[in-house]
Every structure is written in C-alpha cells, then in structure tokens.
Amino acid sequence: MTTQTPETIPTDFTRLMGCAYPIIAGPMFLVSDEGLVSAVSESGGLGAMPSLNWRSTADFRKAIQKVKTLTNKPFGVNIITNKANTRQHADLDVCAEEKVPLVVTSLGSPKESITKMHAVGCKVFCDVTTLDYARKVEDLGADGVIGVSAGAGGHAGPISPLVLIPYLKKHLKIPVVAAGGIATGEQMAAALLLGASAVQIGTLFIASREAPVDASYKNAILKAEPEDILLTKKISGTPASVIRTPYIDKVGLELNALEEFLLHNSKTKKLMKMLRAYLGSKTLEKAVSGTTWKEVWSAGQGVGLIEEILPVQEIMEKLIKEFQSAKGRL
Ligand SMILES: Cc1cc2nc3c(=O)[nH]c(=O)nc-3n(C[C@H](O)[C@H](O)[C@H](O)COP(=O)(O)O)c2cc1C
C-alpha cells in the first residue's frame, strides 16, 4: 500500500483540462472568490466561480483578470443559463473574450455557451441531475457533464451518487464528473471507480481558510451532521440544501400557495423567479457575512465528514493522500 503523493492523477478530465488532479472546486454563490479559485488551481485542481458573485459584468471581467494574475493554471466560471439571469449573455461574452478554460452551465440550456466557448477553443461542462437532461446536453455538444446527486450543497439532484454516476457513464460518451457529498479522498476513489473522470466538491472548500465567509458559517459546517441538511425552496424556488438553523425552522421549507402559483403561471413565472432569486440572494449575502440572525447557510451532506478548517493547499494534499491510500486498500 502506498500513500506517496502522486504528481498527477491522469483521467479524461485532467487530460482535457490540463490540470494535475481530477478535482473541481465547485462554483459557489457568495463563496468562490479570486483567492479561493486560484488557490485550488495552484494546488493542482480546477477552481471555479459563478459570474454572479460580482455585481456587474465589468467587475466580473476584473475578477477573471485577477485570477489570471494569481495563477496560470486552468480555472472555470459558472454561468446560470435560466431566464432569471439577465446577465448571462454579457457574462458569457466576457468568458469567451478572456478565454476562460472551462465554463460550467447550470439551470438552463447550455447551447449559447457551447457555441461561444467552442469558437475560442474552450470547454463547457453542464450540471445535470437526470439522464434525460444529460443526453440533451451531450447532443448539443457539451464536453462533459457534472452529475449533481442527492446530498449535494446548492441545488441537489434527486438520485444517489452510487447510481447516478455509473448510470450516466453507461449511457453517455462524454466524461462524467461526480458532485454531491464528496469530502474525502476515499469518496473520490469511489467516484472514479464508478466511472467518474473527476469530482466536483463544494462544501469542503467552504471550510477552507481562504473561503471569504464569516467564521459562524464555517463553524456551522464543522458542527453539522448529514441529518441537519434540509432542502428548502425558500431561497430560489428550486430545492436547495441548507443547514438546519432556528431561522430555517421558523420560515419553513416550502413556498406558500400564492408563491407556487406565481412561479408556475406562464405569465408571472419569469418575474417571480427573478424576484425569488433576488430576495434569496439578499438573505444569503447577509448570512455569509455574519451580519444577521437569519442564518441561511447552504451546505451538502458531506458536512458529516468535515472536521477542521484548513488552507486549500492542505485540503488538496489530504484528498490526494486519502485517495492514494484508498486505492491501495482496494
Ligand atoms: C454555498 C453554495 C453555493 C453554490 N452556488 C452554486 C452556484 O452559484 N452555481 C452552481 O453551479 N453551483 C453552485 N453550488 C454547487 C457547487 O458548485 C457543487 O456542485 C456542490 O457544492 C457539490 O456538492 P457538495 O457541496 O456536497 O460538495 C453551490 C454550492 C454551495 C454549497
């Protein structure tokens, strides 16, 4: 059994993206900033950030340029492609102009992202939670899918990762990345064994020194158990994973009947989604900065395996060591 740290873990994903390790630090709203993203890329993984973490497209461009000054390794950007994101076209143009190596699309069609990013030689992976949707993005020309399973932080899918990954792998030709609940190298080894070409990890990187969120959020991740992770529709209208807190208990997990009606009515749907996204983001913004008693902290079931706050470099080294040791045991 060897626990020596390998210089690379070659997979379809690392070969395609040119990084050392098959680990994406998943884009996280209000969490992934230039420091966190570049630290992950510098440590051999691939850091990703949502364009909406910046207040304007101009600020977002500056953030990309800052990342490029901090690392010359590949990194990624998430574009939310549903109708509620009115900035998606402009942000995507910036990604193409700045030749962002990887665009990750979520919540809507990746068609425009694929056309624009392929034209400049960059890659597009799409978040998927079902095979049906994964087939659609493969047909559109996506370079890979990120299978977001049950237990993930952010918008979790409904299917167990033990099923989702081999199921996607069996039916698709493009690489599959496993996301949801992964916080150790053993799980990473399991994901690769199931057919994943990489893992996308979110929650674990919130418990990093570099994550620009309040200590109360990081400590809540250390304290929480998988049983504390609840799915709420209150943030964006789509079920999202949050840590159970007195505030979450107070407001409940479901939308009221009027909100549900407005979200599903064709005339009010778009406006309602935008309003929900706006209100949800304001609440989250205050919660991550620790300036409110309204504790809404997004995290996945991997909280049960996270015990300390470490610098990104150490998190990466730990993951690789655990991965090697698990491989040896197999
Ligand atoms: C706080 C938080 C915010 C997130 N924001 C986004 C986002 O803006 N866009 C996106 O595509 N995924 C988002 N995600 C999902 C992550 O990119 C990743 O897929 C997920 O965290 C993986 O599950 P894990 O947290 O269990 O590791 C978010 C996740 C968390 C925990």
Side-chain angles (χ1 to χ4, degrees), residues 223-237:
K223 247 178 71 189
E225 303 297 349
E227 291 87 340
D228 298 318
I229 303 302
L230 305 175
L231 282 175
T232 177
K233 282 192 176 175
K234 290 274 185 183
I235 303 175
S236 64

Side-chain angles (χ1 to χ4, degrees), residues 128-129 147-152 156-169 176-183 187-188 190-196 199-200 301-302:
V128 303
T129 55
V148 183
S149 65
I159 302 177
S160 155
L162 280 172
V163 175
L164 183 65
I165 303 314
Y167 180 53
L168 292 174
K169 182 73 194 161
V176 175
V177 176
I182 298 169
Q187 292 170 292
M188 187 177 143
L192 265 55
L193 194 65
L194 290 172
V199 293
Q200 172 161 284
Q301 292 176 0

Side-chain angles (χ1 to χ4, degrees), residues 101-146:
L102 175 68
V103 161
V104 174
T105 65
S106 51
L107 298 177
S109 170
K111 196 169 173 194
E112 185 186 347
S113 304
I114 292 169
T115 310
K116 286 185 174 166
M117 297 314 291
H118 280 183
V120 293
C122 298
K123 307 294 177 204
V124 178
F125 275 54
C126 308
D127 276 356
V128 303
T129 55
T130 60
L131 176 62
D132 191 34
Y133 194 67
R135 279 193 165 126
K136 283 189 184 137
V137 305
E138 182 175 63
D139 288 347
L140 286 172
D143 298 287
V145 295
I146 301 178

